[in-house]
């Protein structure tokens, strides 16, 4: 017998799920499953990792989200699981992405959805009417809604409020399109009267039968193996900011793990026996579960655009015709601009042809034109910008004014940046003034349109200090005591807490206390369990995602701390989802450089004004270096790279305040290198 789990939270359900997607997929494949769902709380945070894990384990992926819902009057309607349908040209997945974005749109939940909603305002939630709108299109169901024990219907049945449950269920049925509503039964074998008991599951199934609704069996999975229950308890405490002893609705037991098909079959028989339906009832329940699973199996490439790079439309980046031809024309124009007084030789043309051939073969021409448009836009704002990293190895980048270093002059190899064997978009980092970074982000949104741009997010995992604080909170330890311990923890992972106690002399006092106090000993165990689990999501410090007008159909978004939308996918999801990630780091040294140029120009203009008044002779224009324009404005990109005075300063190692060569180690290195020109600095 095979069984498909339809309600599974991965570790990317911050403060809720415990196990990583690859652990869940491997466990599912080990017991013979051929499909597995990922239904993270409040979003699709682990979806791309889930897809990758399923493909590696030979499973069909199912994608969904565990979402809070509000009715038409804004009242809480509990939580439901929403699954995307497959086999509909991606319409199901697109509807799910938009629905998750809807849930976050009006909440301002920022970087920490779902944590302590009582004290921070209501968390992410979607209106029932919006859910109904997204669930179908053109009379075709695109989503399945699992109405389970955490919905308002499930809560009413938990307390035997049968009339209320029927009324609420009838409202759900009337609001949602035909073929989208399914009742979810969960049985964690908890005592009668508690949540997720056999009796509760029976009530859910009887309600489904009374209303002629299909019903499925799930295990509301939060961890891969039984021993994950304790970690889930700590996460519940951290989410509620409340000690476990005061938490009103703890897990009734440790049954929320990824059970085998045999165990799920036994649960189905237990529920059916209690309902008086016998073996046929259990078989029907399991068959209905697989029917729902079959319509929700996704083909990642066809339904999600997996591994298919997408960039802004040609018209948006100002080209007509084939992107490859447009890129070649821009590069030809760049030769005249970059080498105005020099005859271009065979070496330059051969190098350009070589790079363009590889770019064309990989289909990346639009990518380079998009990055060039962003670079042009930034410099047009009057903001200092410069490319860094391996992108400087590309002649195409140099000719497009993305990079300011001539790779031919410095002997830089293109394949260090991009080769014919690469299948993913390359990375080009554009450093900007740190003081202007947010203005640049806003300008990118304005230039390309909010439907084509989003910021990238990042998952912040538990480290030792945060882990010990949340574990201590769960145990109800005194805040001052936990703070005293946390302040002494640094430079080691939470998983190595016990090892550090034995090895680090500075932790000797804490080690002695742990040996004598069982509560502190438990604290160490719980702290190690939390290691690296996602603690919250936040805005990536420099990542911007660009795409075509379908971008928001490929990734859900939520508000960032900056007020701009950010994707729920992190940097590891960009290549699998074919997303163009542009790093625009804010570099502090760029801002002082821009300020210094403004000050030089201001002082020069003041001197010119004084000279014009007859107080001292005006500087002769002929005495100015070529990189200094009239009015004192310096063009840093035109400053020669062989200035003797500059390299004399570098060799002296007195480089405090000089970008990237000011640390003690860097000063020691350049002292040993004793560079006399720019090429001496290239390692």
């Amino acid at each position: 017998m095979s069984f498909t789990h339809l309600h599974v939270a991965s570790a990317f359900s911050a403060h809720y799920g415990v196990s990583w997607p690859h652990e869940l997929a491997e466990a599912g494949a080990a017991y013979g499953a051929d499909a597995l769902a990922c239904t993270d709380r409040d979003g699709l945070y682990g979806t791309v990792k889930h897809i990758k894990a399923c493909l590696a384990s030979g499973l069909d992926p199912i994608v969904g989200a565990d979402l809070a819902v509000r009715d038409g009057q804004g009242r809480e309607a509990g939580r439901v699981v929403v699954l995307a349908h497959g086999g509909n040209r991606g319409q199901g997945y697109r509807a799910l992405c938009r629905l998750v974005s809807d849930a976050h749109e009006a909440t301002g939940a920022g970087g920490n959805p779902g944590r302590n909603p009582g004290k921070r305002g209501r968390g992410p939630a979607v209106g029932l009417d919006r859910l109904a709108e997204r669930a179908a299109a053109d009379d075709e169901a695109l989503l399945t809604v699992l109405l389970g024990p955490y919905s308002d219907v499930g809560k009413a049945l938990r307390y035997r409020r049968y009339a209320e449950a029927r009324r609420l269920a009838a409202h759900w049925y009337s609001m949602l399109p035909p073929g989208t509503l399914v009742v979810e039964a969960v049985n964690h074998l908890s005592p009668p009267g508690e949540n997720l008991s056999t009796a509760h599951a029976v009530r859910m199934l009887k309600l489904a039968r009374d209303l002629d609704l299909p019903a499925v069996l799930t295990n509301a999975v939060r961890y891969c193996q039984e021993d994950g229950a304790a970690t889930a308890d700590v996460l519940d405490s951290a989410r509620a900011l409340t000690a476990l002893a005061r938490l009103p609705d703890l897990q009734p037991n440790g049954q929320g793990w990824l059970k085998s098909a045999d165990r799920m079959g036994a649960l189905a028989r237990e529920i059916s026996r209690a309902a008086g339906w016998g073996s046929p009832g259990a078989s029907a329940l399991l068959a209905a579960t697989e029917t729902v699973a079959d319509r929700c199996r996704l083909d990642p490439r066809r339904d999600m655009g997996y591994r298919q790079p997408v960039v802004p439309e040609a018209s948006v980046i100002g080209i007509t015709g084939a992107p490859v031809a447009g890129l070649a024309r821009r590069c030809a124009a760049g030769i005249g601009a970059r080498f105005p007084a020099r005859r271009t030789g065979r070496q330059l043309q051969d190098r350009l042809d070589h790079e363009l051939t590889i770019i064309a073969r990989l289909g990346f021409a639009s990518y380079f034109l998009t990055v060039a448009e962003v670079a042009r836009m930034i410099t047009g704002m009057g903001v200092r910008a410069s490319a860094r990293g391996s992108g400087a190895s590309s002649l195409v980048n140099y000719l497009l004014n993305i990079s300011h270093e001539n790779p031919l002059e410095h002997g830089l190899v293109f394949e260090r940046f991009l080769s014919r064997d690469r299948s993913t978009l390359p990375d080009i980092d554009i450093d900007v003034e740190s003081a202007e970074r947010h203005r640049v982000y806003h300008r990118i949104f304005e230039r390309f349109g909010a439907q084509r741009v989003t910021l990238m997010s990042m998952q912040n995992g538990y480290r030792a200090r945060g882990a010990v604080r949340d574990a201590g909170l769960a145990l109800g330890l005194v805040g001052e005591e936990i703070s005293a311990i946390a302040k002494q923890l640094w430079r080691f992972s939470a998983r190595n807490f016990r090892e550090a106690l034995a090895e680090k002399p500075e932790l000797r006092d804490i080690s002695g206390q742990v040996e004598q106090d069982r509560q502190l000993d438990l604290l160490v165990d719980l702290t190690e369990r939390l290691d690296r689990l996602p603690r919250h999501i936040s805005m990536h410090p420099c990542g911007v995602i660009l795409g075509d007008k379908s971008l928001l159909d490929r990734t859900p978004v939520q508000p960032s701390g900056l007020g701009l939308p950010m994707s729920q996918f992190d940097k590891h999801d960009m290549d699998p989802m074919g997303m163009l990630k542009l790093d625009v780091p804010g570099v502090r040294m760029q801002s002082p450089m821009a300020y210094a140029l403004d000050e030089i120009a201001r002082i020069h203009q003041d001197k010119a004004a004084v000279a014009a008044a007859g107080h001292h002779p005006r500087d002769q224009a002929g005495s100015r270096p070529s990189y200094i324009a009239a009015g004192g404005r310096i063009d840093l990109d035109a400053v020669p790279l062989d200035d003797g005075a500059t390299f004399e300063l570098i060799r002296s190692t007195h480089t405090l305040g000089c970008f990237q060569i000011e640390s003690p180690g860097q000063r020691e290195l350049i002292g040993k290198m004793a560079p006399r020109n720019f090429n001496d600095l290239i390692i």
Side-chain angles (χ1 to χ4, degrees):
M1 185 184 72
S2 179
F3 180 83
T4 303
H5 283 278
L6 298 176
H7 185 175
V8 183
S10 78
F12 291 98
S13 290
H15 298 110
Y16 191 74
V18 172
S19 301
W20 302 105
H22 71 88
E23 295 174 332
L24 294 163
E26 290 167 2
Y31 75 66
D34 59 7
L36 181 67
C38 178
T39 57
D40 284 337
R41 191 178 176 93
D42 296 321
L44 305 184
Y45 305 105
T47 291
V48 181
K49 282 95 169 169
H50 170 68
I51 298 297
K52 183 178 179 181
C54 284
L55 293 177
S57 297
L59 303 178
D60 290 336
I62 296 172
V63 173
D66 178 343
L67 298 175
V69 181
R70 297 194 182 102
D71 63 16
Q73 285 71 46
R75 293 188 296 261
E76 304 290 344
R79 303 189 71 90
V80 298
V81 171
V82 183
L83 302 173
H85 291 186
N88 49 23
R89 305 172 306 282
Q91 291 186 80
Y93 177 71
R94 291 196 291 271
L96 181 63
C97 283
R98 295 286 185 169
L99 182 68
V100 172
S101 299
D102 293 338
H104 287 267
E105 183 177 8
T107 65
N112 203 6
R115 177 161 179 165
N116 193 28
K119 294 185 178 180
R120 297 188 55 184
R122 297 193 298 184
V126 66
L128 182 54
D129 54 347
R130 180 58 61 89
L131 174 56
E133 291 174 11
R134 299 290 190 193
D138 299 326
D139 296 325
E140 179 183 4
L142 303 178
L143 303 172
T144 286
V145 179
L146 302 186
L147 191 67
Y150 301 107
S151 66
D152 53 358
V153 174
K155 292 176 181 178
L157 286 178
R158 176 182 175 182
Y159 299 108
R160 295 183 174 88
R161 298 196 293 262
Y162 299 110
E164 178 185 352
R166 290 181 64 86
R167 176 180 58 79
L168 293 171
H171 181 60
W172 281 89
Y173 182 76
S174 66
M175 289 290 294
L176 293 179
T180 60
L181 187 62
V182 174
V183 172
E184 174 192 13
V186 181
N187 184 10
H188 282 182
L189 300 173
S190 53
E194 292 191 14
N195 202 21
L196 309 182
S197 65
T198 300
H200 189 203
V202 168
R203 292 173 205 145
M204 295 293 291
L205 293 182
K206 285 186 174 180
L207 178 68
R209 178 169 288 193
D210 290 345
L211 298 179
D212 196 25
L213 288 172
V216 299
L217 177 67
T218 84
N219 204 47
V221 175
R222 296 179 61 185
Y223 31 92
C224 191
Q225 304 293 340
E226 298 99 313
D227 64 357
T231 311
D233 282 342
V234 177
L235 294 179
D236 285 341
S237 171
R239 188 174 70 254
L241 298 180
T242 304
L244 288 173
R246 297 193 297 272
L247 210 57
D249 199 15
L250 267 174
Q251 295 183 92
N253 47 37
Q255 292 292 314
W257 49 285
L258 195 76
K259 296 180 178 179
S260 68
D262 288 342
R263 287 180 178 270
M264 295 305 296
L267 288 177
R269 290 189 292 274
E270 170 72 14
I271 298 169
S272 185
R273 181 195 60 77
W277 299 335
S279 296
S283 298
L285 177 60
L286 294 172
T289 302
E290 295 310 307
T291 298
V292 171
D294 287 343
R295 75 183 183 210
C296 294
R297 296 170 188 255
L298 297 184
D299 180 312
R301 187 174 180 84
R302 186 182 65 242
D303 293 327
M304 300 175 61
Y306 195 75
R307 296 290 182 188
Q308 299 178 54
V310 174
V311 298
E313 299 89 342
S315 59
V316 174
I317 54 180
I319 62 172
T320 57
V324 173
L327 179 62
R329 287 194 298 271
R330 297 266 181 101
C331 289
I335 292 176
R338 285 296 198 182
F339 305 95
R342 169 178 157 185
R343 294 182 59 188
T344 58
R346 189 71 253 168
Q347 179 191 16
L348 185 148
Q349 193 59 50
D350 288 347
R351 172 64 175 264
L352 179 58
D353 291 343
H354 172 68
E355 292 192 15
L356 289 176
T357 298
I358 292 177
I359 292 170
R361 177 177 298 178
L362 296 174
F364 291 168
S366 294
Y367 169 80
F368 283 86
L369 291 169
T370 301
V371 178
E373 176 61 16
V374 173
R376 183 201 64 77
M377 183 202 74
I378 293 173
T379 55
M381 295 170 62
V383 176
R384 276 206 54 75
S386 63
R388 75 154 81 179
S390 61
S393 302
S394 168
L395 178 63
V396 168
N397 283 341
Y398 182 61
L399 297 177
L400 294 177
N401 290 314
I402 297 172
S403 167
H404 300 298
E405 312 303 333
N406 181 355
L408 298 180
E409 183 178 346
H410 305 303
L412 303 180
V413 179
F414 177 66
E415 278 71 14
R416 180 171 177 265
F417 167 62
L418 187 65
S419 73
R420 65 182 72 245
D421 297 324
R422 181 166 186 151
S423 60
T424 57
L425 294 172
D427 285 333
I428 300 178
D429 296 351
I430 301 179
D431 293 346
V432 301
E433 305 169 36
S434 59
E436 299 287 352
R437 179 168 63 98
H438 291 174
R439 187 164 72 92
V440 169
Y441 287 173
H442 282 280
R443 183 68 185 92
I444 292 175
F445 272 81
E446 294 171 4
R447 169 63 182 82
F448 291 93
Q451 74 273 29
R452 297 182 181 88
V453 187
T454 180
L455 302 181
M456 190 169 67
S457 65
M458 58 186 292
Q459 293 284 347
N460 298 276
Y462 273 102
R463 300 297 190 268
R465 286 184 173 180
V468 79
R469 290 184 187 278
D470 280 0
L473 171 67
L475 293 175
L477 299 180
V478 179
E480 292 78 5
E481 183 180 8
I482 295 301
S483 293
I485 296 174
K487 289 177 181 178
Q488 299 182 59
L489 308 184
W490 62 298
R491 291 190 177 178
F492 65 86
S493 298
R495 73 176 64 184
N496 298 324
F497 192 4
R498 195 172 295 278
E499 179 182 331
L501 289 175
E503 296 179 354
K504 294 184 179 294
E506 63 270 24
L507 299 180
R508 188 175 295 113
D509 290 344
I510 299 176
S511 179
Q513 296 174 40
V514 169
E515 292 176 359
Q516 300 175 14
D517 190 327
R518 292 184 60 185
Q519 192 81 333
L520 290 181
D521 188 65
L522 180 58
L523 172 71
V524 175
D525 287 339
L526 294 179
T527 298
E528 291 186 331
R529 284 171 172 266
L530 294 178
D531 182 68
R532 303 294 174 175
L533 288 178
R535 194 180 189 194
H536 59 86
I537 187 174
S538 63
M539 184 181 83
H540 191 277
C542 57
V544 179
I545 304 171
L546 293 171
D548 61 13
K549 62 182 180 181
S550 71
L551 178 64
L552 301 186
D553 292 330
R554 296 163 65 91
T555 173
V557 295
Q558 65 185 67
S560 68
L562 188 58
L564 295 172
M566 67 177 180
S567 168
Q568 291 186 340
F569 298 158
D570 64 21
K571 65 179 181 180
H572 303 293
D573 301 332
M574 295 299 101
D575 284 344
M577 290 303 292
M579 292 181 175
L580 190 167
K581 175 180 71 73
L582 182 64
D583 284 336
V584 186
V587 178
R588 283 181 294 177
M589 185 54 68
Q590 290 280 13
S591 290
M593 289 165 65
Y595 176 78
L597 295 180
D598 290 340
E599 284 297 286
I600 292 170
R602 181 184 64 80
I603 293 171
H604 185 91
Q605 291 167 0
D606 290 346
K607 287 182 177 180
V610 172
H615 294 287
H616 64 75
R618 181 189 296 270
D619 292 339
Q620 297 297 315
S623 65
R624 290 197 307 268
S626 60
Y627 54 83
I628 301 180
R633 175 59 61 179
I634 296 176
D635 180 4
L636 284 184
D637 296 327
V639 173
L641 300 179
D642 58 356
D643 181 67
T646 298
F647 283 94
E648 183 179 348
L649 170 65
I650 293 174
R651 288 194 301 273
S652 75
T653 72
H654 298 156
T655 55
L656 283 175
C658 297
F659 181 45
Q660 292 190 335
I661 55 172
E662 58 181 330
S663 73
Q666 291 160 341
R667 295 201 304 272
E668 179 183 1
L669 178 62
I670 59 176
K672 292 178 179 179
M673 293 175 61
R676 295 188 175 277
N677 54 56
F678 184 78
N679 284 331
D680 288 347
L681 288 174
I682 299 177
I683 301 176

